[in-house]
CSV table of all heavy atoms in Angstrom, one decimal:
chain,number,residue,atom,x,y,z
A,1,MET,N,7.4,-17.3,-3.1
A,1,MET,CA,8.4,-16.4,-3.6
A,1,MET,C,8.6,-15.3,-2.6
A,1,MET,O,7.7,-14.7,-2.1
A,1,MET,CB,8.0,-15.9,-4.9
A,1,MET,CG,9.2,-15.2,-5.7
A,1,MET,SD,8.6,-14.5,-7.3
A,1,MET,CE,8.4,-16.1,-8.2
A,2,ALA,N,9.9,-15.0,-2.3
A,2,ALA,CA,10.2,-13.9,-1.4
A,2,ALA,C,10.1,-12.5,-2.0
A,2,ALA,O,10.2,-12.4,-3.3
A,2,ALA,CB,11.5,-14.1,-0.8
A,3,LYS,N,9.8,-11.5,-1.2
A,3,LYS,CA,9.9,-10.2,-1.7
A,3,LYS,C,10.9,-9.4,-0.9
A,3,LYS,O,11.2,-9.6,0.2
A,3,LYS,CB,8.5,-9.5,-1.6
A,3,LYS,CG,7.5,-10.0,-2.6
A,3,LYS,CD,6.2,-9.2,-2.5
A,3,LYS,CE,5.2,-9.7,-3.5
A,3,LYS,NZ,3.9,-9.3,-3.2
A,4,GLN,N,11.4,-8.4,-1.6
A,4,GLN,CA,12.5,-7.6,-1.0
A,4,GLN,C,12.1,-6.1,-1.1
A,4,GLN,O,11.6,-5.6,-2.2
A,4,GLN,CB,13.8,-7.9,-1.7
A,4,GLN,CG,14.9,-7.0,-1.2
A,4,GLN,CD,16.2,-7.5,-1.9
A,4,GLN,OE1,16.5,-8.7,-2.0
A,4,GLN,NE2,17.0,-6.5,-2.5
A,5,VAL,N,12.3,-5.3,-0.1
A,5,VAL,CA,12.1,-3.9,-0.1
A,5,VAL,C,13.4,-3.2,0.3
A,5,VAL,O,14.1,-3.7,1.3
A,5,VAL,CB,10.9,-3.5,0.9
A,5,VAL,CG1,11.1,-2.1,1.4
A,5,VAL,CG2,9.6,-3.7,0.2
A,6,GLU,N,13.7,-2.1,-0.4
A,6,GLU,CA,14.9,-1.4,0.0
A,6,GLU,C,14.5,0.1,0.1
A,6,GLU,O,13.8,0.6,-0.8
A,6,GLU,CB,16.0,-1.5,-1.0
A,6,GLU,CG,16.7,-2.9,-1.0
A,6,GLU,CD,17.7,-3.0,-2.1
A,6,GLU,OE1,17.3,-3.3,-3.3
A,6,GLU,OE2,18.9,-2.7,-1.9
A,7,CYS,N,15.0,0.8,1.1
A,7,CYS,CA,14.8,2.2,1.1
A,7,CYS,C,15.2,2.9,-0.1
A,7,CYS,O,14.6,3.9,-0.6
A,7,CYS,CB,15.5,2.9,2.3
A,7,CYS,SG,14.5,2.8,3.8
A,8,LYS,N,16.4,2.5,-0.7
A,8,LYS,CA,16.9,3.2,-1.8
A,8,LYS,C,15.9,3.1,-3.1
A,8,LYS,O,15.9,4.0,-3.9
A,8,LYS,CB,18.3,2.9,-2.2
A,8,LYS,CG,18.6,1.5,-2.6
A,8,LYS,CD,20.1,1.4,-2.9
A,8,LYS,CE,20.7,0.1,-2.9
A,8,LYS,NZ,20.4,-0.8,-3.9
A,9,GLU,N,15.1,2.1,-3.1
A,9,GLU,CA,14.1,2.0,-4.1
A,9,GLU,C,13.0,3.1,-4.0
A,9,GLU,O,12.4,3.5,-5.0
A,9,GLU,CB,13.3,0.6,-4.1
A,9,GLU,CG,14.2,-0.6,-4.5
A,9,GLU,CD,14.5,-0.5,-6.0
A,9,GLU,OE1,13.6,-0.2,-6.8
A,9,GLU,OE2,15.6,-0.9,-6.3
A,10,ALA,N,12.9,3.6,-2.8
A,10,ALA,CA,11.9,4.7,-2.6
A,10,ALA,C,12.7,6.1,-2.7
A,10,ALA,O,12.1,7.1,-2.3
A,10,ALA,CB,11.3,4.6,-1.2
A,11,GLY,N,13.9,6.1,-3.1
A,11,GLY,CA,14.7,7.3,-3.3
A,11,GLY,C,15.2,7.8,-2.0
A,11,GLY,O,15.6,9.0,-1.9
A,12,ILE,N,15.3,7.0,-1.0
A,12,ILE,CA,15.9,7.4,0.3
A,12,ILE,C,17.3,6.8,0.5
A,12,ILE,O,17.5,5.6,0.2
A,12,ILE,CB,15.0,6.8,1.5
A,12,ILE,CG1,13.5,7.4,1.4
A,12,ILE,CG2,15.6,7.3,2.8
A,12,ILE,CD1,12.6,6.7,2.3
A,13,ASP,N,18.2,7.7,0.9
A,13,ASP,CA,19.6,7.2,1.0
A,13,ASP,C,19.8,6.5,2.4
A,13,ASP,O,20.1,7.2,3.4
A,13,ASP,CB,20.5,8.4,0.9
A,13,ASP,CG,22.0,8.0,0.9
A,13,ASP,OD1,22.3,6.8,0.6
A,13,ASP,OD2,22.8,8.9,1.2
A,14,CYS,N,19.5,5.2,2.4
A,14,CYS,CA,19.5,4.5,3.6
A,14,CYS,C,19.8,3.0,3.3
A,14,CYS,O,19.3,2.5,2.2
A,14,CYS,CB,18.1,4.6,4.2
A,14,CYS,SG,17.7,3.5,5.6
A,15,PRO,N,20.6,2.3,4.1
A,15,PRO,CA,21.0,0.9,3.7
A,15,PRO,C,19.9,-0.1,4.1
A,15,PRO,O,20.1,-1.3,3.9
A,15,PRO,CB,22.2,0.7,4.6
A,15,PRO,CG,22.1,1.6,5.7
A,15,PRO,CD,21.3,2.8,5.3
A,16,PHE,N,18.8,0.3,4.6
A,16,PHE,CA,17.7,-0.6,5.0
A,16,PHE,C,17.3,-1.5,3.9
A,16,PHE,O,17.0,-1.1,2.8
A,16,PHE,CB,16.5,0.1,5.6
A,16,PHE,CG,15.3,-0.8,5.9
A,16,PHE,CD1,15.3,-1.5,7.1
A,16,PHE,CD2,14.2,-0.9,5.1
A,16,PHE,CE1,14.2,-2.3,7.5
A,16,PHE,CE2,13.1,-1.7,5.4
A,16,PHE,CZ,13.1,-2.4,6.6
A,17,MET,N,17.3,-2.8,4.2
A,17,MET,CA,16.8,-3.8,3.2
A,17,MET,C,16.1,-4.9,4.0
A,17,MET,O,16.6,-5.3,5.0
A,17,MET,CB,18.0,-4.4,2.4
A,17,MET,CG,17.6,-5.2,1.2
A,17,MET,SD,17.4,-7.0,1.7
A,17,MET,CE,19.0,-7.5,1.6
A,18,LEU,N,15.0,-5.3,3.5
A,18,LEU,CA,14.2,-6.4,4.1
A,18,LEU,C,13.7,-7.4,3.1
A,18,LEU,O,13.2,-7.0,2.0
A,18,LEU,CB,13.0,-5.8,4.8
A,18,LEU,CG,12.1,-6.8,5.6
A,18,LEU,CD1,12.7,-7.3,6.8
A,18,LEU,CD2,10.8,-6.1,5.9
A,19,ARG,N,13.9,-8.7,3.4
A,19,ARG,CA,13.5,-9.7,2.5
A,19,ARG,C,12.7,-10.7,3.3
A,19,ARG,O,13.1,-11.2,4.3
A,19,ARG,CB,14.7,-10.4,1.9
A,19,ARG,CG,14.4,-11.5,0.8
A,19,ARG,CD,15.6,-12.1,0.3
A,19,ARG,NE,16.4,-11.2,-0.5
A,19,ARG,CZ,17.5,-11.6,-1.2
A,19,ARG,NH1,17.8,-12.8,-1.2
A,19,ARG,NH2,18.1,-10.7,-1.9
A,20,THR,N,11.5,-11.0,2.8
A,20,THR,CA,10.6,-12.0,3.5
A,20,THR,C,9.7,-12.6,2.6
A,20,THR,O,9.4,-12.1,1.5
A,20,THR,CB,9.9,-11.3,4.7
A,20,THR,OG1,9.0,-12.2,5.3
A,20,THR,CG2,9.1,-10.0,4.2
A,21,GLU,N,9.1,-13.8,3.0
A,21,GLU,CA,8.1,-14.5,2.3
A,21,GLU,C,6.7,-13.9,2.5
A,21,GLU,O,5.8,-14.2,1.8
A,21,GLU,CB,8.1,-16.0,2.7
A,21,GLU,CG,9.4,-16.7,2.5
A,21,GLU,CD,9.5,-17.3,1.1
A,21,GLU,OE1,8.5,-17.5,0.5
A,21,GLU,OE2,10.7,-17.4,0.6
A,22,SER,N,6.6,-13.2,3.6
A,22,SER,CA,5.3,-12.7,4.0
A,22,SER,C,5.0,-11.3,3.7
A,22,SER,O,5.7,-10.4,4.1
A,22,SER,CB,5.1,-13.0,5.5
A,22,SER,OG,4.2,-12.1,6.1
A,23,ASP,N,3.9,-11.0,2.9
A,23,ASP,CA,3.6,-9.6,2.6
A,23,ASP,C,3.3,-8.8,3.9
A,23,ASP,O,3.6,-7.7,4.0
A,23,ASP,CB,2.3,-9.6,1.7
A,23,ASP,CG,2.7,-9.7,0.2
A,23,ASP,OD1,3.8,-10.1,-0.1
A,23,ASP,OD2,1.8,-9.4,-0.6
A,24,ASP,N,2.6,-9.5,4.8
A,24,ASP,CA,2.2,-8.8,6.1
A,24,ASP,C,3.4,-8.3,6.8
A,24,ASP,O,3.5,-7.2,7.3
A,24,ASP,CB,1.4,-9.7,7.0
A,24,ASP,CG,-0.1,-9.8,6.5
A,24,ASP,OD1,-0.5,-9.0,5.6
A,24,ASP,OD2,-0.8,-10.7,6.9
A,25,GLU,N,4.4,-9.2,6.9
A,25,GLU,CA,5.7,-8.9,7.6
A,25,GLU,C,6.4,-7.8,6.8
A,25,GLU,O,6.9,-6.9,7.4
A,25,GLU,CB,6.5,-10.2,7.6
A,25,GLU,CG,7.3,-10.4,8.9
A,25,GLU,CD,7.9,-11.8,8.9
A,25,GLU,OE1,9.0,-11.9,8.3
A,25,GLU,OE2,7.3,-12.7,9.4
A,26,LEU,N,6.5,-7.9,5.5
A,26,LEU,CA,7.1,-6.9,4.7
A,26,LEU,C,6.6,-5.6,5.0
A,26,LEU,O,7.3,-4.6,5.2
A,26,LEU,CB,6.9,-7.3,3.2
A,26,LEU,CG,7.7,-6.5,2.2
A,26,LEU,CD1,9.1,-7.2,2.1
A,26,LEU,CD2,7.1,-6.6,0.8
A,27,VAL,N,5.2,-5.5,5.0
A,27,VAL,CA,4.6,-4.2,5.2
A,27,VAL,C,4.8,-3.7,6.6
A,27,VAL,O,5.2,-2.5,6.8
A,27,VAL,CB,3.1,-4.3,4.8
A,27,VAL,CG1,2.3,-3.1,5.3
A,27,VAL,CG2,2.9,-4.5,3.3
A,28,SER,N,4.6,-4.6,7.6
A,28,SER,CA,4.6,-4.1,9.0
A,28,SER,C,6.1,-3.7,9.4
A,28,SER,O,6.3,-2.6,10.0
A,28,SER,CB,4.0,-5.0,9.9
A,28,SER,OG,4.9,-6.0,10.4
A,29,PHE,N,7.1,-4.5,9.0
A,29,PHE,CA,8.4,-4.1,9.3
A,29,PHE,C,8.9,-2.8,8.6
A,29,PHE,O,9.6,-2.0,9.2
A,29,PHE,CB,9.4,-5.2,9.1
A,29,PHE,CG,9.4,-6.3,10.1
A,29,PHE,CD1,8.8,-7.5,9.9
A,29,PHE,CD2,10.1,-6.1,11.3
A,29,PHE,CE1,8.8,-8.5,10.9
A,29,PHE,CE2,10.1,-7.0,12.3
A,29,PHE,CZ,9.5,-8.3,12.1
A,30,THR,N,8.5,-2.7,7.3
A,30,THR,CA,8.9,-1.6,6.6
A,30,THR,C,8.2,-0.3,7.1
A,30,THR,O,8.9,0.8,7.2
A,30,THR,CB,8.6,-1.7,5.1
A,30,THR,OG1,9.2,-3.0,4.6
A,30,THR,CG2,9.1,-0.6,4.2
A,31,GLN,N,7.0,-0.4,7.5
A,31,GLN,CA,6.3,0.7,8.1
A,31,GLN,C,6.9,1.2,9.4
A,31,GLN,O,7.1,2.3,9.6
A,31,GLN,CB,4.8,0.4,8.3
A,31,GLN,CG,4.0,0.5,7.0
A,31,GLN,CD,2.5,0.1,7.2
A,31,GLN,OE1,2.2,-0.7,8.1
A,31,GLN,NE2,1.7,0.6,6.3
A,32,GLN,N,7.3,0.2,10.2
A,32,GLN,CA,8.0,0.5,11.5
A,32,GLN,C,9.3,1.2,11.2
A,32,GLN,O,9.6,2.2,11.9
A,32,GLN,CB,8.3,-0.8,12.3
A,32,GLN,CG,7.1,-1.3,13.1
A,32,GLN,CD,7.5,-2.6,13.7
A,32,GLN,OE1,8.6,-2.8,14.2
A,32,GLN,NE2,6.5,-3.6,13.7
A,33,HIS,N,10.1,0.7,10.3
A,33,HIS,CA,11.4,1.3,10.0
A,33,HIS,C,11.2,2.7,9.5
A,33,HIS,O,11.8,3.7,9.9
A,33,HIS,CB,12.1,0.5,8.9
A,33,HIS,CG,13.3,1.2,8.3
A,33,HIS,ND1,14.5,1.3,9.0
A,33,HIS,CD2,13.4,1.9,7.2
A,33,HIS,CE1,15.3,2.0,8.2
A,33,HIS,NE2,14.7,2.4,7.2
A,34,ALA,N,10.2,2.9,8.5
A,34,ALA,CA,10.0,4.2,7.9
A,34,ALA,C,9.6,5.2,9.0
A,34,ALA,O,10.0,6.4,9.0
A,34,ALA,CB,8.9,4.1,6.8
A,35,LYS,N,8.7,4.8,9.9
A,35,LYS,CA,8.2,5.7,10.9
A,35,LYS,C,9.3,6.1,11.9
A,35,LYS,O,9.5,7.2,12.3
A,35,LYS,CB,7.1,5.0,11.7
A,35,LYS,CG,6.4,5.9,12.6
A,35,LYS,CD,4.9,5.6,12.6
A,35,LYS,CE,4.2,6.8,13.2
A,35,LYS,NZ,2.8,6.8,12.9
A,36,LYS,N,10.1,5.0,12.4
A,36,LYS,CA,11.1,5.3,13.4
A,36,LYS,C,12.3,6.0,12.8
A,36,LYS,O,12.8,6.9,13.4
A,36,LYS,CB,11.6,3.9,13.9
A,36,LYS,CG,11.6,3.8,15.4
A,36,LYS,CD,11.7,2.4,16.0
A,36,LYS,CE,13.0,1.7,15.5
A,36,LYS,NZ,13.1,0.3,16.1
A,37,THR,N,12.7,5.6,11.7
A,37,THR,CA,14.0,6.2,11.1
A,37,THR,C,13.8,7.4,10.3
A,37,THR,O,14.6,8.3,10.3
A,37,THR,CB,14.7,5.1,10.3
A,37,THR,OG1,14.8,3.9,11.1
A,37,THR,CG2,16.1,5.5,9.9
A,38,HIS,N,12.7,7.4,9.5
A,38,HIS,CA,12.5,8.5,8.6
A,38,HIS,C,11.3,9.4,8.9
A,38,HIS,O,11.0,10.3,8.2
A,38,HIS,CB,12.3,7.9,7.2
A,38,HIS,CG,13.4,7.1,6.7
A,38,HIS,ND1,14.7,7.5,6.6
A,38,HIS,CD2,13.5,5.8,6.4
A,38,HIS,CE1,15.5,6.5,6.2
A,38,HIS,NE2,14.8,5.4,6.1
A,39,LYS,N,10.6,9.0,10.0
A,39,LYS,CA,9.4,9.8,10.4
A,39,LYS,C,8.4,9.9,9.2
A,39,LYS,O,7.8,11.0,9.0
A,39,LYS,CB,9.7,11.2,11.0
A,39,LYS,CG,10.8,11.1,12.0
A,39,LYS,CD,10.4,11.9,13.3
A,39,LYS,CE,11.5,11.9,14.4
A,39,LYS,NZ,12.0,10.5,14.7
A,40,LYS,N,8.2,8.8,8.5
A,40,LYS,CA,7.3,8.8,7.4
A,40,LYS,C,6.3,7.7,7.6
A,40,LYS,O,6.6,6.7,8.1
A,40,LYS,CB,8.1,8.5,6.1
A,40,LYS,CG,8.8,9.7,5.5
A,40,LYS,CD,9.5,9.2,4.2
A,40,LYS,CE,10.6,10.1,3.7
A,40,LYS,NZ,10.1,11.3,3.1
A,41,ASP,N,5.1,8.0,7.1
A,41,ASP,CA,4.0,7.0,7.1
A,41,ASP,C,3.9,6.5,5.6
A,41,ASP,O,3.7,7.3,4.7
A,41,ASP,CB,2.7,7.5,7.5
A,41,ASP,CG,2.6,7.6,9.0
A,41,ASP,OD1,2.9,6.6,9.7
A,41,ASP,OD2,2.3,8.7,9.5
A,42,ILE,N,4.1,5.2,5.4
A,42,ILE,CA,4.0,4.7,4.1
A,42,ILE,C,2.9,3.7,4.0
A,42,ILE,O,2.7,2.9,4.9
A,42,ILE,CB,5.3,3.9,3.7
A,42,ILE,CG1,6.6,4.8,4.0
A,42,ILE,CG2,5.3,3.6,2.2
A,42,ILE,CD1,7.9,4.1,3.6
A,43,SER,N,2.1,3.8,2.9
A,43,SER,CA,0.9,2.9,2.8
A,43,SER,C,1.4,1.6,2.3
A,43,SER,O,2.5,1.4,1.7
A,43,SER,CB,-0.1,3.5,1.8
A,43,SER,OG,0.5,3.5,0.5
A,44,LYS,N,0.5,0.6,2.6
A,44,LYS,CA,0.8,-0.7,2.1
A,44,LYS,C,1.0,-0.8,0.6
A,44,LYS,O,1.9,-1.4,0.1
A,44,LYS,CB,-0.4,-1.6,2.5
A,44,LYS,CG,-0.2,-3.1,2.1
A,44,LYS,CD,-1.3,-4.0,2.6
A,44,LYS,CE,-1.1,-5.4,2.2
A,44,LYS,NZ,-2.0,-6.3,2.8
A,45,ALA,N,0.1,0.0,-0.1
A,45,ALA,CA,0.2,0.0,-1.6
A,45,ALA,C,1.6,0.5,-2.0
A,45,ALA,O,2.2,0.0,-3.0
A,45,ALA,CB,-0.9,0.9,-2.1
A,46,ASP,N,2.1,1.6,-1.4
A,46,ASP,CA,3.4,2.1,-1.7
A,46,ASP,C,4.5,1.1,-1.5
A,46,ASP,O,5.5,1.0,-2.3
A,46,ASP,CB,3.7,3.4,-1.0
A,46,ASP,CG,2.9,4.6,-1.5
A,46,ASP,OD1,2.5,4.5,-2.7
A,46,ASP,OD2,2.8,5.6,-0.8
A,47,ILE,N,4.4,0.4,-0.4
A,47,ILE,CA,5.5,-0.6,-0.1
A,47,ILE,C,5.4,-1.7,-1.1
A,47,ILE,O,6.5,-2.1,-1.6
A,47,ILE,CB,5.3,-1.2,1.3
A,47,ILE,CG1,5.5,-0.1,2.4
A,47,ILE,CG2,6.2,-2.4,1.6
A,47,ILE,CD1,5.1,-0.4,3.8
A,48,LEU,N,4.3,-2.2,-1.4
A,48,LEU,CA,4.2,-3.3,-2.4
A,48,LEU,C,4.6,-2.8,-3.8
A,48,LEU,O,5.1,-3.6,-4.6
A,48,LEU,CB,2.8,-3.8,-2.5
A,48,LEU,CG,2.4,-4.6,-1.2
A,48,LEU,CD1,0.9,-5.0,-1.2
A,48,LEU,CD2,3.3,-5.7,-0.9
A,49,LYS,N,4.5,-1.5,-4.1
A,49,LYS,CA,4.9,-0.9,-5.3
A,49,LYS,C,6.4,-1.0,-5.5
A,49,LYS,O,6.9,-1.2,-6.6
A,49,LYS,CB,4.4,0.5,-5.5
A,49,LYS,CG,4.0,0.9,-6.9
A,49,LYS,CD,3.7,2.4,-7.0
A,49,LYS,CE,2.7,2.9,-6.0
A,49,LYS,NZ,2.5,4.4,-6.1
A,50,ILE,N,7.1,-0.7,-4.4
A,50,ILE,CA,8.6,-0.7,-4.5
A,50,ILE,C,9.2,-2.1,-4.2
A,50,ILE,O,10.4,-2.3,-4.3
A,50,ILE,CB,9.3,0.4,-3.6
A,50,ILE,CG1,8.9,0.2,-2.1
A,50,ILE,CG2,8.9,1.8,-4.1
A,50,ILE,CD1,9.8,0.9,-1.2
A,51,ALA,N,8.4,-3.0,-3.8
A,51,ALA,CA,8.9,-4.4,-3.4
A,51,ALA,C,9.2,-5.1,-4.7
A,51,ALA,O,8.6,-5.0,-5.7
A,51,ALA,CB,7.8,-5.2,-2.7
A,52,LYS,N,10.3,-5.8,-4.6
A,52,LYS,CA,10.8,-6.6,-5.8
A,52,LYS,C,10.7,-8.1,-5.4
A,52,LYS,O,10.9,-8.5,-4.3
A,52,LYS,CB,12.2,-6.3,-6.1
A,52,LYS,CG,12.4,-5.0,-6.9
A,52,LYS,CD,13.9,-4.8,-7.3
A,52,LYS,CE,14.8,-4.8,-6.1
A,52,LYS,NZ,16.1,-4.2,-6.4
A,53,LYS,N,10.3,-8.9,-6.4
A,53,LYS,CA,10.3,-10.3,-6.2
A,53,LYS,C,11.7,-10.9,-6.3
A,53,LYS,O,12.4,-10.5,-7.3
A,53,LYS,CB,9.4,-11.0,-7.2
A,53,LYS,CG,7.9,-10.8,-6.9
A,53,LYS,CD,7.0,-11.4,-7.9
A,53,LYS,CE,5.5,-11.1,-7.6
A,53,LYS,NZ,4.7,-11.2,-8.8
A,54,VAL,N,12.1,-11.6,-5.3
A,54,VAL,CA,13.5,-12.2,-5.4
A,54,VAL,C,13.5,-13.7,-5.2
A,54,VAL,O,12.5,-14.3,-4.7
A,54,VAL,CB,14.4,-11.5,-4.3
A,54,VAL,CG1,14.7,-10.1,-4.7
A,54,VAL,CG2,13.7,-11.6,-2.9
B,1,ZN,ZN1,15.4,3.6,5.7
């Protein structure tokens, strides 16, 4: 089952959306985006918390 993460789920006004089958990929790409675009460090737990099963 794939999971999807969106910045707006975290209350950030940003069109970023990522959908993948891999939790590792989900976490690493989302962390890279958050760091580069929003200068934020997000923990794996926080990413999995806002991730939706799709
Ligand atoms: Zn974003």
Side-chain angles (χ1 to χ4, degrees):
M1 191 180 292
K3 282 185 185 165
Q4 178 176 311
V5 151
E6 288 178 276
C7 271
K8 61 179 162 70
E9 289 292 321
I12 302 170
D13 185 20
C14 168
F16 175 79
M17 189 274 276
L18 180 72
R19 184 182 292 189
T20 174
E21 299 276 331
S22 155
D23 274 15
D24 285 346
E25 221 171 82
L26 191 82
V27 169
S28 85
F29 279 104
T30 305
Q31 283 178 333
Q32 278 175 40
H33 168 80
K35 189 144 199 163
K36 229 165 60 179
T37 310
H38 304 298
K39 312 232 179 307
K40 281 179 197 282
D41 283 307
I42 311 180
S43 71
K44 181 175 182 175
D46 282 343
I47 292 168
L48 293 177
K49 215 188 307 175
I50 61 164
K52 284 186 296 198
K53 288 180 180 157
V54 287

